[in-house]
Amino acid sequence: MKRYPVIFLMMLVVLLWAIAACQPNLSNSGGGDIIVASKDFTEQDVLGELLAQQIENKAGLKIDRKPRLGGSYVCHQAIVNGKIDAYVEYTGTAATVSKLFENQPIPSEPKALFQQLKDGYAQKFNLTVMPGLGFENTFAIIIRGDDAKRDDIQTLSQAAQFTPQWRGGFGYEFSERQDGLAGLSKTYNFQFAKPPQIMDLGLIYRALIQKQVDLVAGNSTDGQIARLGLVVLQDDKRYFPPYEAVPIVREATLQKYPKLRTALEELSGLVTAAEMQRMNYEVEGEFRDVKQVVKEFLVSKQ
């Protein structure tokens, strides 16, 4: 009977080893000077590589890349805990994950939000919010180009009168989150005749083109928008907060490598929304290598 505790102990050891093996590898095992991470979608693949190549080229540092580390909360906790050194976040999302605005509304003016985030991240987390890359990736409410042209629809307020005849298509997150569908519908008085269709984000544009739905929520820099001739409606009541793309960097890392700050500051204002859309499509639609797409972009800016 004494053999059972031994067997149990061996099983416990194996289980703990398996759990450890499944955890994300955040150690600096590659021997690089700093760790650059990205979140888990195509645009972040591009932006993580943009930071990495810029730092390698301009600061001469070796980078350990951690692509697709996880969502916003995962990356935020990783950098706060010193597991990574830098990643790109969006100001509106940073305001949410940092909980800096729990008891007050998130500023709707981009410069005001950026400054408050910069001050708050420095004081609370010892992190530096670098100047924006030059574009914003906000939630985008999108309709077919033909519909926009025929009915002269440019804004969300103008679209409201058509929603009783339209069907909406939204991802699960947008339909559930506080700053998503419920608030949008209340702000603009959207009144759909049928309950909106909840679908995978990878299917929303196909459903829109095939006229299964008439209005969807995507991201403003999605590569499919321009290619399919779709129209992003103007958020004329400024329901969504600003979502400017900004590098977040550990202050200790900036202090350790003085050239790093200068290298990242050179990215300020470098990327337009149209350029981000194009790079997203090249990677996602044309299946091009992320490193090559970013390299060509940086060369074009020299």
Side-chain angles (χ1 to χ4, degrees):
M1 297 295 292
K2 293 182 179 180
R3 61 185 178 140
Y4 290 107
V6 175
I7 294 174
F8 176 77
L9 180 61
M10 293 175 64
M11 292 175 64
L12 180 62
V13 170
V14 171
L15 179 61
L16 291 174
W17 177 85
I19 292 173
C22 291
Q23 298 301 311
N25 180 15
L26 291 174
S27 63
N28 201 349
S29 57
D33 298 308
I34 66 174
I35 301 175
V36 173
S38 61
K39 297 196 285 184
D40 50 359
F41 54 95
T42 300
E43 179 165 300
Q44 283 280 310
D45 294 338
V46 175
L47 295 178
E49 185 60 28
L50 180 68
L51 292 193
Q53 288 193 27
Q54 176 72 3
I55 295 168
E56 288 172 335
N57 295 340
K58 300 295 184 176
L61 300 174
K62 184 178 179 181
I63 307 299
D64 277 343
R65 292 163 168 82
K66 300 295 180 184
R68 304 225 166 193
L69 182 63
S72 300
Y73 288 97
V74 171
C75 289
H76 177 70
Q77 288 301 317
I79 198 168
V80 166
N81 294 328
K83 301 297 185 181
I84 63 175
D85 294 288
Y87 81 105
V88 175
E89 190 51 277
Y90 307 93
T91 52
T93 305
T96 301
V97 300
S98 66
K99 299 182 179 180
L100 292 174
F101 300 89
E102 279 189 307
N103 300 316
Q104 58 182 310
I106 297 174
S108 61
E109 203 285 313
K111 290 183 179 179
L113 176 56
F114 174 81
Q115 191 59 52
Q116 290 186 45
L117 284 174
K118 186 176 179 66
D119 295 342
Y121 265 66
Q123 295 168 11
K124 187 175 181 179
F125 306 118
N126 199 29
L127 298 174
T128 296
V129 180
M130 301 296 296
L133 298 177
F135 73 95
E136 181 179 0
N137 183 359
T138 185
F139 282 116
I141 307 304
I142 301 166
I143 62 176
R144 290 180 289 271
D146 290 344
D147 292 347
K149 184 177 181 180
R150 182 188 64 239
D151 297 317
D152 192 24
I153 307 171
Q154 301 176 21
T155 69
L156 290 173
S157 292
Q158 291 171 338
Q161 63 180 303
F162 297 94
T163 55
Q165 293 83 46
W166 285 354
R167 185 169 188 185
F170 307 102
Y172 176 78
E173 181 179 351
F174 185 78
S175 67
E176 293 293 322
R177 59 187 288 167
Q178 186 175 359
D179 61 344
L181 178 58
L184 179 74
S185 297
K186 182 178 180 180
T187 300
Y188 287 101
N189 193 30
F190 282 3
Q191 298 179 354
F192 295 103
K194 297 181 180 180
Q197 187 171 336
I198 307 304
M199 61 182 64
D200 184 275
L201 288 177
L203 301 176
I204 59 173
Y205 295 122
R206 181 187 302 174
L208 184 60
I209 291 299
Q210 294 178 351
K211 298 187 177 182
Q212 297 171 2
V213 295
D214 305 288
L215 179 147
V216 301
N219 294 307
S220 59
T221 54
D222 285 344
Q224 300 271 42
I225 295 173
R227 187 178 73 87
L228 297 175
L230 305 176
V231 170
V232 176
L233 298 175
Q234 181 184 345
D235 180 15
D236 50 303
K237 293 185 179 180
R238 304 189 75 171
Y239 168 70
F240 295 115
Y243 288 95
E244 295 182 296
V246 293
I248 308 290
V249 191
R250 295 180 65 233
E251 179 60 30
T253 307
L254 290 170
Q255 295 291 335
K256 184 176 181 179
Y257 302 107
K259 291 184 179 180
L260 176 59
R261 187 185 302 273
T262 302
L264 293 177
E265 285 176 345
E266 290 181 5
L267 293 176
S268 175
L270 194 70
V271 188
T272 66
E275 289 169 332
M276 193 70 249
Q277 276 188 348
R278 177 178 55 78
M279 288 191 283
N280 285 339
Y281 180 70
E282 287 180 0
V283 173
E284 194 169 50
E286 298 181 352
F287 308 106
R288 295 195 62 206
D289 179 66
V290 174
K291 291 186 177 181
Q292 187 61 34
V293 169
V294 171
K295 180 179 179 180
E296 291 174 3
F297 172 76
L298 288 174
V299 168
S300 74
K301 294 293 181 175
Q302 292 178 358

